[in-house]
């Protein structure tokens, strides 16, 4: 329980800091990210339980990575992260999951995710801000990547890249669990005014 409270305090601090750095009021951030002002007030007070979709919309709007909203200060020059030490940010009804392993630092950060997709289970993602590029590298099994309504099969050993500002969905395919590494390349700076 104390771990969850500490994580909420870190998230609250990081959202407030990123919002102020971007020069946005709670109302402006709420309108751009499609999150109610009440939810933002609660979040910045380390209350509530924002879902994965809300965190992605806030990060996109603020021009930062999801992990930049969730992580405390860096602990050293080299960071090694074990998958079991990272809580999934999304879990599907059939056992699929997505874990944000880490985010690189610098003006154009890259998020590194581990995904597990069960056959037939899917995760639809809203479009990200312009300039976001995603890659998916399948390490086991098969998946269907759907971008702008077009299906693209991606097999073991294959990597696909696409602009993340279009609607996209990840779906497990075949009969075996699909394992993949996804990267999200985020352009520098806060999102432009909408």
């Amino acid at each position: 329980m104390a771990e969850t409270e500490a994580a909420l305090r870190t998230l609250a601090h990081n959202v407030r800091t990123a919002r102020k750095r971007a020069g946005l009021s709670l109302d402006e951030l709420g309108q751009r990210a499609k999150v109610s002002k009440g939810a933002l007030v609660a979040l910045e007070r380390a209350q509530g339980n924002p879902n994965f979709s809300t965190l992605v919309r806030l990060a996109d709007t603020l021009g930062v990575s999801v992990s930049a909203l969730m992580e405390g200060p860096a602990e050293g020059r080299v960071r090694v992260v074990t998958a079991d030490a990272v809580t999934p940010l999304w879990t599907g009804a059939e056992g699929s999951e997505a874990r944000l392993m880490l985010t690189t630092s610098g003006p154009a950060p890259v998020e590194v995710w581990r995904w597990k997709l069960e056959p037939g289970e899917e995760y639809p993602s809203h479009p990200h801000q312009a300039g976001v590029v995603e890659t998916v590298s399948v390490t086991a099994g098969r998946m269907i990547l759907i971008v702008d309504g077009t299906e693209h099969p991606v097999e073991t050993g294959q990597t696909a890249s696409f602009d993340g500002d279009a609607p996209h969905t990840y779906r497990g395919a075949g009969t075996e669990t699909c394992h993949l590494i996804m990267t999200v390349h985020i352009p520098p700076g806060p999102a432009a005014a909408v």
Side-chain angles (χ1 to χ4, degrees), residues 58-80:
L58 287 171
D60 279 350
T61 302
L62 293 167
V64 299
S65 66
V66 172
S67 64
L69 295 180
M70 301 178 61
E71 293 178 350
E75 296 177 13
R77 290 181 65 137
V78 176
R79 182 171 175 212
V80 177

Side-chain angles (χ1 to χ4, degrees), residues 5 23 57 97 170:
E5 290 173 5
R57 286 194 313 273
E97 63 181 31
Y170 317 107

Side-chain angles (χ1 to χ4, degrees), residues 92-155:
E94 302 298 319
S96 298
E97 63 181 31
R99 295 173 190 254
L100 177 57
M101 299 305 295
L102 61 85
T103 302
T104 62
S105 59
V110 176
E111 297 176 346
V112 179
W113 293 79
R114 281 187 181 269
W115 284 73
K116 178 175 81 168
L117 290 170
E118 296 301 331
E121 192 159 33
E122 63 181 39
Y123 176 80
S125 178
H126 76 284
H128 301 292
Q129 66 176 331
V132 170
V133 175
E134 292 192 22
T135 65
V136 290
S137 296
V138 175
T139 58
R142 297 177 55 225
M143 72 170 291
I144 302 294
L145 171 64
I146 306 166
V147 179
D148 252 348
T150 302
E151 295 188 1
H152 306 272
V154 187
E155 312 271 336

Side-chain angles (χ1 to χ4, degrees), residues 18-32:
R19 178 180 60 79
K20 288 181 178 180
R21 186 180 311 120
L24 298 174
S25 69
L26 286 166
D27 285 326
E28 291 169 320
L29 177 58
Q31 288 173 353
R32 292 181 188 184

Side-chain angles (χ1 to χ4, degrees), residues 163-176:
D163 294 333
D165 61 354
H168 51 283
T169 299
Y170 317 107
R171 180 188 310 140
T175 58
E176 299 175 15

Side-chain angles (χ1 to χ4, degrees), residues 174-194:
T175 58
E176 299 175 15
T177 302
C178 176
H179 294 271
L180 63 104
I181 303 296
M182 178 181 75
T183 61
V184 180
H185 304 258
I186 301 164
V194 178

